[in-house]
Amino acid sequence: MATSTKTRKEPDSGLKQKQSASASADQSVRSFGTRDAMNYYKAWVAKTAKQPMVLETVDLGPLGAEDVEVAVEHCGLCHSDLSVLNNEWGISQYPAILGHEVIGRVTATGPNAKGLKVGQRVGVGWNSGSCMHCHQCMSGNHHLCLQAQATIIGHRGGFASHVRAHWAWVIPLPEKLIFADAGPLLCGGITVFSPLAMHAKPTDRVGIIGIGGLGHMAVKFAATYGCHVTAFTSSESKFDEAKGFGANHVVSSKDSAAIKKLGGSFDLLISTVNVKLDWDAMIGTLAPNGRLHVVGAVLEPIPVAAFSLILGQRSVSGSPTGSPVAIETMLDFASRHNVAPQTEHFPMSKINEAFARLQSGKARYRIVLDADF
């Protein structure tokens, strides 16, 4: 078992304390640990869609009463960062500071922040806040909160010297993790771990569609969990690598005939890709009561024939990342079993080159930017 640095305490109340205007003004001079929170930091800023990022000084303003400030050491580069940079989803807000797989140390805490201390190594993922009082938050499903705050949309992300987030979304890290490589676990890792935790048993036969930034971690988690794993990839150059990640069998996602031979095989099929596939053939690989679970943000509708679901009592589902507790659980699992993403490192000053490599499809398999301000 791994030793963890978690020092979480349950909040005294489920109600989020509102910060008054006078308290907000007082925040700028209040000491939050070993020093006052600073307002001005360095960050790589996307001014508009599809343009190179530029280094600027940004004003984060006073630290919120329930917020935590983190000095960034490493930040993973996720395909979602590229999608938001290019406004592929139509929800980007500019200027934008991207980066949502943050590893760093706490430098300051607001007076109402719980369970974290200055100097503690932590992570921040896709979300940096939620309302903390709705049904979903009070049920432990904070990531499903309708007011959940994405770290890189309408909020300043982690391609910066510092980032801030609500204390509940600042995740303590187990000591056994390799911190420099752990960032991708906070988004990609939890995204593929969640459906396994929700829908798989160690005795299940699991298929992973796409062996990229998400898929290679899905194979590792599923194999470590004890599942029989089949990897689907469009790239034959990844066959051996997929087996190295723990896949028992590898199939070309372009080979419909080979896919059809697997009819009725899988208890769970996790799709990590954002491209069109032979969905009828993929759904046909599900066993009775099998499930196709989508975590890849494919923009085209997925056609589903009703009878293919009805006759086999199959289902199609999807999920985003995970709650703070789910992320902590995933990190503990990864720490105990030495599950880590395969990474390439760039200094953060080479951020535009790193984005270009990601967009080219050449990354193997997650890019991490190391802060060098």
Side-chain angles (χ1 to χ4, degrees):
M1 298 287 287
T3 301
S4 174
T5 60
K6 291 185 287 195
T7 59
R8 283 257 190 259
K9 296 179 181 177
E10 291 299 318
D12 297 330
S13 167
L15 298 176
K16 182 178 180 180
Q17 299 189 28
K18 301 294 184 181
Q19 183 180 15
S20 67
S22 61
S24 178
D26 185 53
Q27 290 290 52
S28 63
V29 297
R30 187 193 302 269
S31 175
F32 296 117
T34 59
R35 63 161 181 80
D36 291 344
M38 295 173 58
N39 290 346
Y40 295 94
Y41 298 110
K42 294 289 187 179
W44 286 93
V45 181
K47 294 291 195 176
T48 188
K50 301 180 181 180
Q51 295 300 312
M53 282 155 281
V54 294
L55 183 63
E56 292 188 350
T57 298
V58 296
D59 181 4
L60 298 186
L63 187 67
E66 297 189 7
D67 287 347
V68 174
E69 179 186 275
V70 178
V72 178
E73 296 174 318
H74 313 278
C75 190
L77 173 50
C78 176
H79 199 278
S80 296
D81 292 305
L82 183 61
S83 295
V84 173
L85 174 65
N86 294 334
N87 199 23
E88 292 174 1
W89 304 336
I91 58 175
S92 301
Q93 299 177 27
Y94 305 100
I97 300 173
L98 307 176
H100 59 276
E101 296 178 343
V102 179
I103 300 294
R105 288 190 181 273
V106 174
T107 53
T109 60
N112 298 334
K114 306 290 193 297
L116 295 164
K117 60 186 180 181
V118 171
Q120 187 172 2
R121 186 170 268 117
V122 295
V124 177
W126 175 254
N127 288 318
S128 59
S130 55
C131 79
M132 302 303 290
H133 62 79
C134 70
H135 180 81
Q136 298 301 334
C137 285
M138 295 298 285
S139 301
N141 294 314
H142 305 67
H143 62 302
L144 302 180
C145 173
L146 294 179
Q147 298 180 51
Q149 175 63 64
T151 300
I152 61 172
I153 302 172
H155 182 276
R156 297 177 178 93
F159 295 147
S161 60
H162 294 74
V163 67
R164 292 176 179 177
H166 187 276
W167 62 264
W169 288 96
V170 178
I171 313 298
L173 301 181
E175 291 178 354
K176 283 183 63 179
L177 285 179
I178 301 173
F179 300 125
D181 293 333
L185 293 172
L186 295 163
C187 179
I190 184 59
T191 296
V192 296
F193 184 85
S194 288
L196 290 167
M198 289 188 291
H199 303 303
K201 303 185 297 295
T203 54
D204 282 349
R205 299 177 68 87
V206 173
I208 307 297
I209 305 173
I211 307 304
L214 289 173
H216 89 283
M217 285 188 280
V219 170
K220 288 188 174 189
F221 276 127
T224 302
Y225 190 36
C227 302
H228 184 280
V229 182
T230 297
F232 294 87
T233 176
S234 62
S235 175
E236 292 189 5
S237 66
K238 294 182 178 180
F239 276 34
D240 289 339
E241 287 178 296
K243 291 179 180 178
F245 297 142
N248 302 96
H249 187 44
V250 186
V251 176
S252 171
S253 57
K254 296 179 178 179
D255 189 343
S256 294
I259 294 171
K260 288 178 181 178
K261 290 181 181 179
L262 297 170
S265 296
F266 299 113
D267 302 293
L268 177 64
L269 191 60
I270 300 175
S271 176
T272 72
V273 300
N274 62 354
V275 296
K276 184 179 179 180
L277 297 174
D278 186 345
W279 294 108
D280 282 339
M282 287 297 182
I283 291 174
T285 67
L286 297 176
N289 292 309
R291 176 185 297 268
L292 168 63
H293 192 88
V294 180
V295 296
V298 57
L299 298 180
E300 294 185 14
I302 298 174
V304 177
F307 276 111
S308 68
L309 301 182
I310 293 170
L311 298 179
Q313 201 166 291
R314 298 159 168 163
S315 58
V316 178
S317 56
S319 63
T321 55
S323 70
V325 167
I327 296 172
E328 289 189 1
T329 300
M330 177 273 302
L331 291 173
D332 282 341
F333 182 94
S335 176
R336 289 199 304 270
H337 297 288
N338 297 315
V339 176
Q342 182 170 313
T343 62
E344 301 177 352
H345 285 252
F346 284 72
M348 200 170 288
S349 56
K350 300 293 184 182
I351 188 170
N352 292 309
E353 290 91 331
F355 267 79
R357 181 165 176 79
L358 176 62
Q359 189 159 19
S360 74
K362 296 178 180 178
R364 286 290 198 274
Y365 277 85
R366 300 290 290 206
I367 293 173
V368 175
L369 302 182
D370 303 319
D372 62 343
F373 295 96

